[in-house]
Amino acid sequence: MPRVVFTENIQRHVPCPPTEAHGVTVREVLDAVFTSNERARGYVLDEHGAVRKHMVIFIDGTMIRDRITLADSVVPSSEIYVMQALSGG
Amino acid sequence: MSDRILAATRKGLFTIERTGKGKSGWSITKTSFLAEHVIMTLPDRRDGSWYASLYHGHFGSKLHRTTDKGETWQEIAVPAYPRQPEGEVQKDMWGRVIEWKLDRIWALEAGGVNESGVLWCGTLPGGLFRSSDHGTTWNLVESLWNDPRRQEWMGGGADLPGIHSVCVDPRDARHVTIGISCGGVWVTHDGGASWDCRGEGIWSAYTPPDQKQNPNVQDVHRVVQCPAHPDALWAQHHNGIFRTTDGSATWQDVSNLKSLSPTSFGFAVAVHPTDSNTAWFVPGVKDEHRLPPDGKVVVARTRDGGQTFDILRNGLPQDHAYDLTYRHGLDIDGSGNRLTFGSTTGSIWVTEDQGDSWQAISEHLPPIYCVRFAD
């Protein structure tokens, strides 16, 4: 299963431990993670499910291209990093 | 008489209490959300709960509620915009795209005295939301959001238009007046089912002449309502100070008075809770400067409905002071004797004699966005 790792700075607002979850796209994996950690969803995604303006997501070291629908593909060995963009201050 | 002040700042929410200690007699007794960007707070006198709005640069806007005076906080829901109709693009008056997304919370007010749990929330990019369950859920006031005149609004001090003032009539909670930068003053008498843009008499200097008196482009920086005389409201506007005594049907410009010298520009206004003729302002040099006049912090007070103003400076810094007070940075308590205001350079002052004399509570806080008296 893909593994999701969250920025350390999110932890003081909502605990987000590294998690493995099923899915073949970033959307599917994150949905699976947020189903069991609903509060974290709003810290990473906006009310329409897009990546927040000053958040970034990497798959195996490459930034995702689709920040709106999160359709970028993942494989079972993928590591997904949910990080802060420096643009957010 | 309120013995507690909440100060929302760039680096946390501070509880200040009248302890009798120190030079001012007021002390910081609690710090909440240290290091976080707290841009709005609401002490709800109906049930004693407090609310704090956080604006995380990365993680978005959040709302928290406490029922034990800040000992513990619970995160609650934030207003959420509906998904925009497919293919529709909305732009503001300047042609900039307005996305249907919560940018930040800019106003938070309690509903009527008998409306337990009802809250109003003004936001950027211009949506007004209402909760009937203490902020557990929020509903967009669609009548206002879907009004085509809303698309004439534009940012004032921010890229996006925003609702910064919500005044709920103590006589009838269905009568609500809101202020928008820049969108003027809007009024509902049916709890938000329908709205009128009011503002006859308010004028702008930053628009072409044919738009000068368009009520829907007015940059009212702040609107406050006298609780005992709700048809009397005061507005600190980008181009001066305006007053209405007929529920915002007509407004009078009281800016061009010699006694208001040196300036009628500013953001904040407070009105006495029972005497609608008495109001306070924190002047700044307009509008590209935004500094205290001559480096001296002063408060302007009128006791006669804006016919004359006193410039109050006793206890305020008068030498190289560059404190600016934002629109939510001035408040008055229920007695009408105590006022407090905070500044962008982290100073906060209090008066217990309607402004005749001021004491500094602190001059070293983070930039202050909002101050409110609490029980």
Side-chain angles (χ1 to χ4, degrees):
Chain A
M1 282 188 286
R3 182 170 181 264
V4 185
V5 179
F6 291 88
T7 170
E8 191 176 324
N9 289 316
I10 202 173
Q11 311 294 338
R12 62 194 175 102
H13 304 296
V14 51
C16 295
T19 307
E20 292 187 348
H22 286 288
V24 297
T25 63
V26 177
R27 171 73 69 199
E28 289 180 7
V29 174
L30 288 184
D31 274 348
V33 172
F34 293 145
T35 296
S36 58
N37 189 0
E38 190 60 41
R39 200 159 71 88
R41 185 188 301 271
Y43 280 73
V44 178
L45 307 177
D46 67 23
E47 62 256 70
H48 304 311
V51 180
R52 288 197 174 280
K53 182 178 179 182
H54 298 300
M55 295 295 286
V56 289
I57 298 176
F58 292 87
I59 305 169
D60 299 324
T62 302
M63 195 182 298
I64 66 168
R65 309 282 299 177
D66 179 3
R67 297 172 56 88
I68 306 297
T69 67
L70 284 68
D72 292 55
S73 298
V74 297
V75 296
S77 62
S78 290
E79 283 202 322
I80 299 171
Y81 277 85
V82 179
M83 311 295 290
Q84 295 157 279
L86 292 181
S87 57
Chain B
M1 199 85 80
S2 294
D3 289 334
R4 189 180 280 127
I5 298 166
L6 302 181
T9 81
R10 179 67 180 82
K11 295 291 180 182
L13 178 70
F14 296 87
T15 303
I16 297 165
E17 295 180 302
R18 194 173 191 281
T19 58
K21 299 175 183 173
K23 193 174 176 185
S24 71
W26 295 73
S27 310
I28 297 170
T29 56
K30 190 182 296 297
T31 304
S32 305
F33 309 110
L34 186 62
E36 303 303 335
H37 199 155
V38 185
I39 61 173
M40 175 52 57
T41 186
L42 167 68
D44 188 344
R45 291 189 167 83
R46 297 168 303 177
D47 58 15
S49 59
W50 299 349
Y51 297 83
S53 172
L54 277 58
Y55 180 62
H56 299 295
H58 300 91
F59 308 124
S61 289
K62 308 295 177 213
L63 262 178
H64 296 256
R65 179 173 186 255
T66 178
T67 55
D68 55 14
K69 310 297 183 193
E71 293 295 324
T72 59
W73 291 86
Q74 295 79 44
E75 187 175 336
I76 58 175
V78 287
Y81 280 76
R83 196 172 286 279
Q84 196 161 358
E86 189 84 23
E88 181 176 321
V89 177
Q90 290 191 354
K91 297 179 180 176
D92 69 7
M93 190 186 189
W94 305 125
R96 293 179 292 204
V97 173
I98 300 287
E99 289 188 280
W100 290 27
K101 291 181 178 180
L102 176 66
D103 180 80
R104 75 189 70 178
I105 289 167
W106 218 17
L108 202 54
E109 297 293 345
V113 172
N114 298 319
E115 294 182 313
S116 176
V118 170
L119 301 172
W120 293 92
C121 180
T123 70
L124 280 73
L128 179 67
F129 292 81
R130 185 180 188 274
S131 173
S132 57
D133 53 13
H134 308 275
T136 304
T137 60
W138 293 93
N139 292 303
L140 176 67
V141 178
E142 294 187 3
S143 56
L144 185 63
W145 184 249
N146 294 329
D147 192 309
R149 292 173 293 178
R150 194 259 307 163
Q151 293 185 55
E152 291 183 18
W153 297 357
M154 54 191 168
D159 286 347
L160 298 166
I163 298 171
H164 49 66
S165 300
V166 179
C167 306
V168 178
D169 188 335
R171 302 166 302 189
D172 176 5
R174 295 169 302 172
H175 175 207
V176 179
T177 304
I178 64 171
I180 302 125
S181 285
C182 304
V185 178
W186 289 63
V187 179
T188 179
H189 285 278
D190 51 20
S194 61
W195 295 85
D196 288 325
C197 180
R198 301 274 184 85
E200 184 183 330
I202 302 178
W203 58 270
S204 59
Y206 50 81
T207 49
D210 63 339
Q211 292 291 314
K212 180 178 178 180
Q213 292 176 322
N214 179 351
N216 201 27
V217 301
Q218 299 302 325
D219 186 10
V220 284
H221 288 172
R222 182 81 170 122
V223 180
V224 294
Q225 182 175 43
C226 179
H229 303 283
D231 288 333
L233 298 98
W234 288 85
Q236 173 66 67
H237 180 280
H238 193 90
N239 292 118
I241 294 170
F242 296 86
R243 176 187 188 232
T244 176
T245 55
D246 57 13
S248 98
T250 58
W251 291 78
Q252 294 81 49
D253 181 354
V254 300
S255 305
N256 295 317
L257 295 166
K258 199 172 181 182
S259 60
L260 194 50
S261 176
T263 173
S264 61
F265 182 83
F267 294 94
V269 49
V271 59
H272 191 281
T274 58
D275 176 9
S276 63
N277 286 325
T278 298
W280 293 259
F281 306 81
V282 186
V285 178
K286 75 167 183 80
D287 58 359
E288 66 274 25
H289 298 292
R290 305 187 182 202
L291 296 166
D294 301 322
K296 305 176 193 299
V297 175
V298 299
V299 172
R301 179 185 63 199
T302 178
R303 293 188 185 279
D304 54 15
Q307 294 182 56
T308 61
F309 285 83
D310 302 316
I311 302 300
L312 311 170
R313 57 182 83 237
N314 183 10
L316 299 174
Q318 300 298 297
D319 183 39
H320 281 285
Y322 301 105
D323 300 73
L324 181 70
T325 294
Y326 284 149
R327 69 196 74 212
H328 301 114
L330 169 68
D331 196 26
I332 187 167
D333 82 340
S335 75
N337 292 321
R338 291 182 176 170
L339 293 96
T340 183
F341 72 104
S343 78
T344 52
T345 46
S347 299
I348 180 169
W349 296 276
V350 65
T351 176
E352 301 191 13
D353 54 15
Q354 300 193 346
D356 288 338
S357 62
W358 298 86
Q359 293 81 40
I361 298 171
S362 174
E363 293 167 303
H364 309 289
L365 286 175
I368 296 170
Y369 298 124
C370 175
V371 295
R372 299 191 90 154
F373 281 101
D375 294 329

